Coordinates of all heavy atoms in Angstrom, one line a residue:
G20 N 24.2 -18.5 -0.8 CA 25.4 -18.8 -0.1 C 25.5 -17.9 1.1 O 24.7 -16.9 1.3
G23 N 28.4 -12.5 2.5 CA 29.8 -12.0 2.2 C 30.7 -12.9 1.4 O 31.8 -12.5 1.1
D39 N 26.9 -9.3 -22.6 CA 27.9 -9.1 -23.6 C 27.9 -10.2 -24.7 O 28.3 -10.0 -25.9 CB 29.4 -9.2 -23.0 CG 29.6 -7.9 -22.2 OD1 28.8 -7.0 -22.3 OD2 30.7 -7.8 -21.6
L55 N 23.2 -5.0 -5.5 CA 23.5 -5.5 -6.9 C 23.6 -4.3 -7.9 O 24.5 -4.3 -8.7 CB 22.4 -6.5 -7.4 CG 22.6 -7.1 -8.7 CD1 24.0 -7.8 -8.8 CD2 21.5 -8.1 -9.1
I70 N 10.6 -2.9 -5.1 CA 9.2 -3.2 -5.3 C 8.4 -3.2 -4.0 O 7.3 -2.7 -3.9 CB 9.0 -4.6 -6.0 CG1 9.8 -4.6 -7.3 CG2 7.5 -4.9 -6.3 CD1 9.2 -3.9 -8.5
S71 N 9.0 -3.8 -3.0 CA 8.3 -4.0 -1.7 C 7.9 -2.7 -1.0 O 7.1 -2.6 -0.1 CB 9.1 -4.9 -0.7 OG 10.2 -4.1 -0.2
E78 N -1.0 -2.1 -3.4 CA -2.4 -2.0 -3.1 C -3.2 -2.2 -4.3 O -4.2 -2.9 -4.4 CB -2.7 -0.6 -2.4 CG -4.2 -0.5 -2.0 CD -4.5 0.7 -1.3 OE1 -3.6 1.6 -1.2 OE2 -5.6 0.8 -0.7
P102 N 8.2 -6.0 -14.9 CA 9.6 -6.0 -15.3 C 10.0 -4.8 -16.3 O 11.0 -4.2 -16.2 CB 9.8 -7.3 -16.0 CG 8.9 -8.2 -15.4 CD 7.6 -7.4 -15.1
G132 N 4.5 -9.6 0.2 CA 5.0 -10.9 -0.1 C 4.3 -11.6 -1.2 O 4.9 -12.3 -2.0
A133 N 3.0 -11.4 -1.3 CA 2.2 -12.0 -2.3 C 2.6 -11.4 -3.7 O 2.7 -12.2 -4.7 CB 0.7 -11.7 -2.1
H141 N 6.6 -15.3 -12.1 CA 6.4 -14.9 -13.5 C 7.8 -14.8 -14.2 O 8.0 -15.3 -15.3 CB 5.8 -13.5 -13.5 CG 5.9 -12.8 -14.9 ND1 5.2 -13.2 -16.0 CD2 6.7 -11.8 -15.3 CE1 5.5 -12.4 -17.0 NE2 6.4 -11.5 -16.6
Q145 N 7.8 -17.6 -16.9 CA 7.2 -17.1 -18.2 C 8.1 -16.2 -19.0 O 7.6 -15.7 -20.1 CB 5.9 -16.3 -17.8 CG 4.7 -17.3 -17.6 CD 3.7 -16.8 -16.7 OE1 3.5 -15.6 -16.5 NE2 3.0 -17.7 -16.1
E159 N 14.4 -18.8 0.2 CA 13.0 -18.5 0.5 C 12.2 -18.0 -0.7 O 11.0 -18.2 -0.8 CB 12.8 -17.4 1.6 CG 13.2 -17.9 3.0 CD 14.7 -17.8 3.3 OE1 15.5 -17.4 2.3 OE2 15.1 -18.1 4.4
K167 N 11.3 -25.9 -10.6 CA 11.4 -26.7 -11.9 C 11.9 -25.8 -13.0 O 12.5 -26.3 -14.0 CB 10.1 -27.4 -12.3 CG 8.9 -26.4 -12.5 CD 7.7 -27.3 -12.9 CE 6.5 -26.4 -13.3 NZ 5.9 -25.7 -12.1
T185 N 26.9 -23.6 5.6 CA 25.7 -22.9 5.0 C 25.4 -23.6 3.7 O 24.2 -23.8 3.3 CB 26.0 -21.4 4.8 OG1 26.4 -20.9 6.1 CG2 24.8 -20.7 4.3
D262 N 30.5 -20.7 -19.5 CA 30.6 -21.7 -20.6 C 30.1 -23.1 -20.0 O 29.4 -23.8 -20.7 CB 32.1 -21.9 -21.0 CG 32.6 -20.8 -21.8 OD1 31.7 -20.1 -22.4 OD2 33.8 -20.5 -21.9
S272 N 20.3 -34.6 -21.9 CA 19.8 -35.2 -20.7 C 19.2 -34.2 -19.7 O 18.4 -34.5 -18.8 CB 20.9 -36.0 -19.9 OG 21.9 -35.1 -19.6

Side-chain angles (χ1 to χ4, degrees):
D39 287 354
L55 181 57
I70 305 283
S71 72
E78 183 173 13
H141 168 72
Q145 277 152 25
E159 289 85 357
K167 61 179 185 292
T185 304
D262 287 339
S272 60

